[in-house]
């Protein structure tokens, strides 16, 4: 007699995973959460937040091939932070505060310990972003993923007063681009990074790298910085005209997305680019144009402000624990 477990799907392991994560997930729940983990849907009382004219902001994203690094090292408790960052830092660019998050974990074979570690990372990310982990799905997909393989996707919903939406429409020539320091590669360009560092240069994840002061694997697994709380606080201090999350497409592909028609940018290129980017460029003989099109180059988020707000923006971000610097200005497209 055939059983589901013999076909590769373990229902008992799935139930065990849910029980393991219930307690850790509840640490992200505030008064707006009306449901517990394990139900068919998550319930969130948006009316408890005090919005007068609520607009919902949404985002969906994954971690990409960074999961190959976590799988190779057997360290699964940080990529969940990346997952939250990729979504919440998208949503906050509209001026929205992340409210709740949903995760999707697909595995070849369900190992409750691994799933628990993945969710621990998501919980940590949600706490950093100030949002609730409201629910999710763990799917066992033998035949799609091999044992030990998994993929992650996330979904964030945020809220903003309609009158406070940030959409870049007020950006004008002469405004200044402020770069917020990244924590490293974040979660973009890993296919190129892995090709250069591991496949071509034959470096090993466990080897110590003097450039980083730690192993290559530790550098590549450094979690994506979550800017959401800091940017929400920043908006209370200065007039932020636009925000761009530097993800896939790098600086060159993401910053122009927030410009009104007829505007472009002029970059100074005088900030300190972290060593990991220089290593990839040197070993892979990657052009500067390609590097700035693929990677964040040390800039995880860009905000646009008036020239008179530059000093206040940088000082405020420093108080909030994030290094920032002028990295260019807005100009008319000629």
């Amino acid at each position: 007699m055939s059983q589901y477990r013999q076909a590769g799907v373990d229902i008992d392991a799935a139930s065990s995973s849910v029980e393991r994560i219930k307690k850790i997930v509840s640490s992200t729940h505030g008064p707006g959460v009306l449901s517990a983990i394990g139900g068919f849907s998550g319930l969130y009382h948006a009316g408890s937040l005090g919005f007068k004219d609520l607009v919902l902001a949404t985002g969906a994203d994954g971690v990409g091939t960074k999961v190959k690094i976590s799988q190779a090292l057997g360290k699964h408790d940080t990529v969940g932070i990346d997952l939250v960052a990729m979504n919440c830092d998208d949503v906050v660019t509209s001026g929205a505060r992340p409210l709740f998050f949903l995760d999707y974990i697909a595995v070849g074979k369900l190992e409750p310990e691994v799933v628990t570690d993945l969710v621990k990372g998501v919980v940590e990310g949600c706490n950093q972003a100030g949002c609730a982990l409201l629910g999710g799905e763990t799917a066992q997909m033998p035949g799609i993923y091999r044992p030990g393989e998994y993929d992650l996707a996330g979904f964030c919903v945020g809220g903003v007063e309609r009158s406070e939406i940030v959409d870049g429409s007020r950006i004008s020539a002469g405004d200044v681009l402020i770069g917020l320091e990244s924590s490293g590669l974040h979660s973009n360009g890993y296919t190129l990074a892995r090709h250069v560092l591991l496949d071509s240069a034959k470096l090993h994840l466990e080897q110590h790298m003097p450039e980083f002061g730690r192993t290559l694997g530790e550098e590549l697994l450094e979690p994506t910085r979550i800017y959401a709380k800091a940017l929400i606080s920043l908006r209370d201090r200065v007039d932020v005209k636009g925000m761009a999350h530097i993800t896939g497409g790098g600086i060159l592909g993401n910053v122009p997305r927030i410009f009104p028609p007829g505007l472009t940018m002029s970059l100074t290129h005088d900030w300190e680019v972290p060593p990991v980017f220089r290593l990839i460029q040197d070993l892979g003989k990657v052009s500067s144009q390609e590097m700035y099109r693929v990677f964040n180059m040390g800039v995880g988020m860009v905000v646009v402000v008036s020239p008179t707000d530059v000093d206040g923006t940088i000082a405020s971000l420093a108080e909030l624990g994030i290094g920032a610097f002028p990295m260019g200005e807005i100009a008319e497209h000629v």
Side-chain angles (χ1 to χ4, degrees):
M1 179 181 296
S2 296
Q3 291 184 324
Y4 211 3
R5 179 182 292 181
Q6 292 172 328
V9 176
D10 191 335
I11 296 175
D12 292 333
S15 299
S16 175
S17 293
V18 171
E19 291 303 315
R20 283 170 173 260
I21 66 177
K22 276 185 177 180
K23 288 184 179 180
I24 59 175
V25 169
S26 64
S27 71
T28 70
H29 290 179
V33 177
L34 305 181
S35 56
I37 294 296
F40 288 102
S41 65
L43 302 177
Y44 195 92
H45 183 208
S48 68
L49 301 173
F51 287 100
K52 297 178 181 178
D53 191 6
L54 173 65
V55 174
L56 297 179
T58 64
D61 207 341
V63 181
T65 59
K66 188 169 186 174
V67 297
K68 299 293 287 185
I69 307 298
S70 60
Q71 291 162 14
L73 291 173
K75 181 172 173 55
H76 313 290
D77 59 352
T78 60
V79 287
I81 301 174
D82 295 287
L83 184 65
V84 175
M86 299 307 290
N87 285 275
C88 290
D89 285 344
D90 273 354
V91 164
V92 78
T93 61
S94 64
R97 174 160 62 93
L99 301 178
F100 57 84
F101 189 84
L102 304 171
D103 62 10
Y104 172 81
I105 302 172
V107 300
K109 178 183 178 182
L110 199 154
E111 301 176 69
E113 298 85 357
V114 172
V115 171
T116 300
D117 278 351
L118 292 172
V119 174
K120 283 180 179 178
V122 175
V123 167
E124 172 61 23
C126 286
N127 283 325
Q128 289 185 26
C131 65
L133 178 52
L134 196 58
E137 164 73 353
T138 301
Q140 301 181 63
M141 301 175 68
I144 303 296
Y145 301 97
R146 291 177 292 186
E149 292 183 340
Y150 53 77
D151 197 11
L152 308 174
F155 313 88
C156 179
V157 174
V160 59
E161 291 284 3
R162 185 167 186 155
S163 61
E164 297 178 359
I165 293 173
V166 178
D167 59 9
S169 61
R170 297 186 297 111
I171 295 174
S172 60
D175 286 340
V176 179
L177 302 168
I178 304 295
L180 280 62
E181 291 179 351
S182 72
S183 58
L185 287 174
H186 284 185
S187 298
N188 296 104
Y190 271 77
T191 298
L192 178 56
R194 288 169 47 243
H195 173 71
V196 170
L197 300 176
L198 304 179
D199 299 338
S200 298
K202 305 298 182 184
L203 300 179
H204 301 286
L205 293 174
E206 297 84 1
Q207 73 183 83
H208 181 81
M209 304 293 291
E211 301 96 325
F212 313 141
R214 54 182 173 177
T215 67
L216 177 61
E218 289 170 334
E219 176 69 23
L220 295 182
L221 273 190
E222 179 67 34
T224 304
R225 176 166 281 165
I226 296 178
Y227 301 95
K229 283 185 178 179
L231 289 176
I232 291 166
S233 296
L234 179 67
R235 290 203 60 217
D236 293 333
R237 306 182 186 196
V238 300
D239 179 21
V240 177
K241 295 185 175 183
M243 293 181 269
H245 187 197
I246 310 305
T247 58
I251 293 173
L252 299 182
N254 284 289
V255 179
R257 292 168 61 181
I258 64 173
F259 297 166
L263 297 180
T264 186
M265 64 180 176
S266 174
L267 299 180
T268 62
H269 295 283
D270 61 357
W271 64 89
E272 183 64 29
V273 176
V276 65
F277 300 105
R278 295 197 297 270
L279 184 67
I280 292 170
Q281 184 168 15
D282 292 344
L283 291 179
K285 295 181 172 56
V286 183
S287 70
S288 293
Q289 177 79 6
E290 184 74 352
M291 291 294 295
Y292 280 85
R293 199 168 65 94
V294 174
F295 299 108
N296 69 61
M297 302 304 286
V299 180
M301 185 76 71
V302 173
V303 300
V304 181
V305 298
S306 298
T308 54
D309 283 327
V310 169
D311 291 342
T313 299
I314 293 174
S316 294
L317 287 167
E319 291 178 13
L320 295 166
I322 297 178
F325 44 82
M327 58 176 288
E329 65 177 31
I330 305 298
E332 293 184 0
H333 196 282
V334 294

